[in-house]
Amino acid sequence: MPKESFIKRYGLLIGTGLVVGAAAVLLTALGNPANMGFCIACFLRDIAGALNFQRAGFDAEVGTGIVQYIRPEIIGLVLGSTAIAFAKKEFRPKGGSSPMIRFIVAVFVMIGALVFLGCPLRMVIRIGGGDLNAVVGLVGFALGILLGIRFLKKGFSLRRAYQQSMAEGLIFPVLMVGLLVLLMVRPDFIIFSAKGPGSMAAPVLVALLVAVIVGILAQRSRLCMVGGIRDAVMFKDFRLISAFVAIIVAVLIGNLALSKFNLGFVDQPIAHSEATWNLMGMVLVGWGSVLLGGCPLRQLILAGEGNTDSAVTVTGYIVGAAVSHNFGLASSATGIGTGPVAIAVVVGFVVLAVISLMNMQKLEG
Amino acid sequence: MIDARGYSCPTPVVMVQKAVKDGGPSKLEVAVDNQCSVENVTRFARNAGYQVKVVDFEGDFKLLLSK
């Protein structure tokens, strides 16, 4: 058997990582919030806001909250995945692998992400911007993944998924088309922040196009932030983590070129310096994401391929975002939320522990 | 045969990893239901010294591992 060449083994993933990193820098330069070219957690939270599921930082003067916007990046990622999945005959509706467990885990993954202020992808983008708080987050993320791996090795599984109808698989992509229509038409009942991060956005069509390209690449390369560390530890497979590193490199170069690189802990954009909570939030994200089988970006891509378990997971993220903001669990640039953050995080750990322990299977095929 | 159909990442690879531990059998069949698992199991099996052939299996995929 000839050995797989370096290009064949790593080319697509490193290429995808570089494109994602460059796209993130570009989208920020065109108007997205700083170090937030892409953030699946933040953008789903903004969509939750646009649908009025939360209105964090509501300002009576302007009549909106600060994180309400239908982010075209989410729509583009999903539809890019759907398009290429159809083209490659990989669109296969399936689901039924413990959907309610996935939903609950997703809620806590989102709570953890909003304590830290970012999904694993934004964590990597923040690192590329010089935000050392995100390095603390990375430590927590890796610890969470190691915890999850312990259970995977002992046979943790959310059981089988089964084939479903085309209609079932298409619901999520069609919902994305619906969101796109709402974004274009901007009816009164959809809220767009007049100030704050929700008001900062790259032009719709550019963001959509960039996201479609990233969605296609992510579907082909199976890019996953959680998978990177997981596969490196479990299987000594460094393919996915090579993309992880490529994103950091591309963002770093982009930020240096645009003089946006700012190394340090303080005054980092849309970030806080409470190390304990940056760490704990990402432990929750890492552990929960291993149980779910992928990071939030990967869940979007899978949902685009007709995986309804991932669609349920994304729904869980949106509900988790609403819970986070409605109960003061989400952090802000001034620090952690004013609500019962510690209780929520501890409850999250207990829930993940119970779910991990209760889903050990004998995997004998 | 290991039937890993329907399991999400990385369970199919974990199942194969278990089966090929301590040398493992010279022949092994693994059924999976998505292209991503085909790629992951193939890569893992090759690293473990197996040759891999992919065949159609009731509309899904069957990987024939041999060494």
Side-chain angles (χ1 to χ4, degrees):
Chain A
M1 184 72 48
K3 216 170 158 19
E4 208 177 10
S5 72
F6 180 85
I7 294 288
K8 193 160 179 244
R9 192 168 170 78
Y10 294 102
L12 181 59
L13 273 159
I14 291 179
T16 300
L18 294 174
V19 171
V20 171
V25 174
L26 174 73
L27 290 175
T28 299
L30 291 176
N32 272 13
N35 287 352
M36 209 191 279
F38 282 106
C39 173
I40 311 308
C42 319
F43 290 179
L44 287 172
R45 180 267 320 275
D46 292 348
I47 289 176
L51 301 174
N52 224 351
F53 296 166
Q54 54 84 8
R55 44 182 196 176
F58 182 77
D59 183 333
E61 225 165 86
V62 294
T64 73
I66 55 172
V67 282
Q68 300 180 291
Y69 179 57
I70 293 180
R71 293 278 174 190
E73 289 85 350
I74 298 288
I75 299 168
L77 288 168
V78 174
L79 295 183
S81 166
T82 304
I84 195 70
F86 268 109
K88 296 282 184 181
K89 299 196 167 51
E90 287 184 12
F91 189 90
R92 292 167 72 105
K94 63 173 185 176
S97 160
S98 310
M100 269 324 282
I101 290 177
R102 288 177 190 274
F103 178 85
I104 293 297
V105 173
V107 168
F108 283 102
V109 164
M110 182 55 98
I111 290 172
L114 291 176
V115 168
F116 165 70
L117 287 175
C119 68
L121 180 55
R122 181 171 189 243
M123 174 187 79
V124 169
I125 291 169
R126 281 173 57 179
I127 291 174
D131 180 348
L132 295 177
N133 301 299
V135 176
V136 177
L138 174 61
V139 172
F141 184 56
L143 286 174
I145 291 173
L146 291 176
L147 256 170
I149 288 175
R150 289 184 70 93
F151 293 101
L152 277 182
K153 282 192 165 166
K154 289 182 183 157
F156 172 86
S157 161
L158 290 177
R159 295 161 206 260
R160 284 179 207 275
Y162 295 91
Q163 200 180 341
Q164 293 180 320
S165 68
M166 190 49 90
E168 180 76 13
L170 279 174
I171 286 180
F172 191 78
V174 168
L175 277 176
M176 291 296 125
V177 174
L179 280 180
L180 183 58
V181 171
L182 291 175
L183 174 61
M184 296 298 185
V185 177
R186 294 186 169 238
D188 288 342
F189 56 87
I190 298 296
I191 319 290
F192 294 94
S193 288
K195 58 188 236 183
S199 68
M200 301 164 73
V204 172
L205 289 178
V206 179
L208 188 67
L209 181 69
V210 167
V212 166
I213 294 168
V214 169
I216 290 171
L217 288 170
Q219 198 278 342
R220 295 320 296 154
S221 64
R222 331 291 185 197
L223 178 69
C224 177
M225 300 293 113
V226 174
I229 296 175
R230 181 197 66 203
D231 290 358
V233 173
M234 283 186 87
F235 311 120
K236 308 276 174 290
D237 182 332
F238 302 97
R239 293 172 60 260
L240 289 175
I241 209 168
S242 68
F244 193 105
V245 175
I247 296 173
I248 296 181
V249 170
V251 173
L252 182 65
I253 293 171
N255 279 320
L256 286 171
L258 298 175
S259 305
K260 292 269 174 63
F261 184 75
N262 171 24
L263 189 70
F265 284 98
V266 292
D267 292 334
Q268 292 292 344
I270 319 176
H272 63 81
S273 299
E274 300 198 29
T276 310
W277 296 106
N278 281 327
L279 187 96
M280 296 298 247
M282 286 314 278
V283 173
L284 210 48
V285 173
W287 186 3
S289 298
V290 168
L291 302 185
L292 293 169
C295 71
L297 170 69
R298 181 76 183 137
Q299 302 294 341
L300 283 180
I301 300 300
L302 287 170
E305 292 174 24
N307 186 323
T308 59
D309 290 325
S310 290
V312 169
T313 301
V314 175
T315 314
Y317 294 146
I318 292 172
V319 171
V323 168
S324 282
H325 282 288
N326 290 337
F327 297 99
L329 308 176
S331 301
S332 68
T334 55
I336 63 165
T338 51
V341 178
I343 293 173
V345 170
V346 170
V347 168
F349 285 132
V350 172
V351 168
L352 294 190
V354 170
I355 287 173
S356 296
L357 291 169
M358 286 185 68
N359 287 281
M360 302 296 206
Q361 325 275 326
K362 275 212 166 14
L363 296 171
E364 305 297 347
Chain B
M1 185 184 79
I2 295 176
D3 186 358
R5 285 177 294 176
Y7 284 111
S8 61
C9 250
T11 303
V13 183
V14 174
M15 292 165 85
V16 175
Q17 189 179 34
K18 253 185 162 171
V20 306
K21 211 164 52 181
D22 310 321
S26 64
K27 280 194 190 308
L28 186 65
E29 294 184 351
V30 187
V32 296
D33 68 349
N34 65 87
Q35 191 60 38
C36 182
S37 292
V38 171
E39 292 162 16
N40 291 339
V41 172
T42 300
R43 193 167 282 111
F44 178 81
R46 282 189 180 150
N47 285 339
Y50 286 90
Q51 296 203 346
V52 184
K53 205 178 148 203
V54 185
V55 296
D56 186 77
F57 178 62
E58 298 169 2
D60 293 317
F61 309 91
K62 193 192 280 183
L63 284 75
L64 310 173
L65 279 53
S66 60
K67 68 172 178 186

